[in-house]
C-alpha cells in the first residue's frame, strides 16, 4: 500500500468519527470484510475491535451486514446492548452490484424499529458503504 493509500484509509476511519481511545465493537465479521479498514480503525483507536460476544461498554459499533444475514432489526437491537449513550452504529453493507448488496431503504426502514435514526451514508472502501445510525432522541 502506498503512503497516499494509507493516508486515505486512515482518513476514512477518522471520517467515521473514530478517535484515539474509542472502544469499538464489531458484528458480522466474516472473510469478506474490509481488513484494511478494520486495521485502520484499530490503529487509530489504539485498541482491537471487540467481537459480538464481548460485554464491554463501547463508543461505537461497526456492523458488517449482507442481504442474507437474517433479521436486520434484531441485529441492530442487539448491537445497541453495549453501546454507550450517544454512541454510533455504522452499518457497513456491500455496494450496489456486489454479492450481498443491501438497499439503503432496507436500513432506513429497519432503523426506527430498532430505536435508531439514519443520519448519513458514505462509501468507505471499494466494496463497502457505511450508514451512520444514532439513537433516537426522546423529547
Amino acid at each position: 500500500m502506498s503512503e497516499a493509500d494509507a493516508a486515505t484509509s486512515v482518513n476514512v476511519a477518522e471520517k467515521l468519527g473514530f478517535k484515539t481511545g474509542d472502544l469499538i465493537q464489531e458484528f458480522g465479521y466474516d472473510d469478506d470484510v474490509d481488513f484494511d479498514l478494520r486495521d485502520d480503525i484499530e490503529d487509530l483507536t489504539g485498541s482491537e475491535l471487540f467481537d459480538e460476544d464481548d460485554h464491554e461498554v463501547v463508543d461505537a459499533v461497526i456492523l458488517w451486514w449482507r442481504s442474507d444475514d437474517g433479521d436486520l432489526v434484531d441485529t441492530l437491537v442487539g448491537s445497541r446492548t453495549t453501546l454507550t449513550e450517544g454512541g454510533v452504529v455504522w452499518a457497513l453493507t456491500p455496494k450496489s452490484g456486489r454479492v450481498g448488496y443491501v438497499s439503503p431503504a432496507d436500513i432506513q426502514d429497519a432503523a426506527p424499529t430498532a430505536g435508531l435514526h439514519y443520519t448519513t451514508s458514505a462509501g468507505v472502501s471499494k466494496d463497502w458503504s457505511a450508514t451512520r445510525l444514532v439513537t433516537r432522541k426522546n423529547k
Side-chain angles (χ1 to χ4, degrees):
M1 178 183 293
S2 72
E3 281 185 39
D5 289 341
T8 300
S9 60
V10 169
N11 286 340
V12 170
E14 288 176 356
K15 286 179 183 177
L16 293 177
F18 301 129
K19 60 191 180 307
T20 301
D22 280 351
L23 299 177
I24 314 297
Q25 187 169 23
E26 177 180 46
F27 289 80
Y29 175 88
D30 206 338
D31 59 2
D32 64 344
V33 302
D34 187 306
F35 291 100
D36 290 335
L37 178 58
R38 289 181 82 254
D39 290 344
D40 292 336
I41 292 169
E42 290 179 338
D43 289 346
L44 181 63
T45 62
S47 63
E48 291 185 12
L49 300 174
F50 291 101
D51 67 29
E52 24 193 289
D53 296 326
D54 286 312
H55 299 290
E56 298 291 323
V57 174
V58 296
D59 301 296
V61 166
I62 59 172
L63 167 63
W64 303 97
W65 190 258
R66 303 143 198 95
S67 61
D68 60 354
D69 280 348
D71 188 297
L72 180 56
V73 172
D74 287 347
T75 303
L76 288 173
V77 169
S79 73
R80 294 186 52 204
T81 59
T82 59
L83 190 62
T84 189
E85 185 174 333
V88 175
V89 174
W90 282 100
L92 300 163
T93 57
K95 288 184 173 178
S96 180
R98 308 296 196 286
V99 173
Y101 169 73
V102 176
S103 165
D106 292 344
I107 298 169
Q108 290 177 359
D109 289 345
T113 306
L116 294 164
H117 176 70
Y118 170 94
T119 62
T120 189
S121 62
V124 293
S125 72
K126 181 178 73 127
D127 295 318
W128 293 88
S129 294
T131 302
R132 184 176 184 267
L133 305 170
V134 297
T135 55
R136 293 188 300 186
K137 303 216 183 323
N138 295 326
K139 295 188 178 194

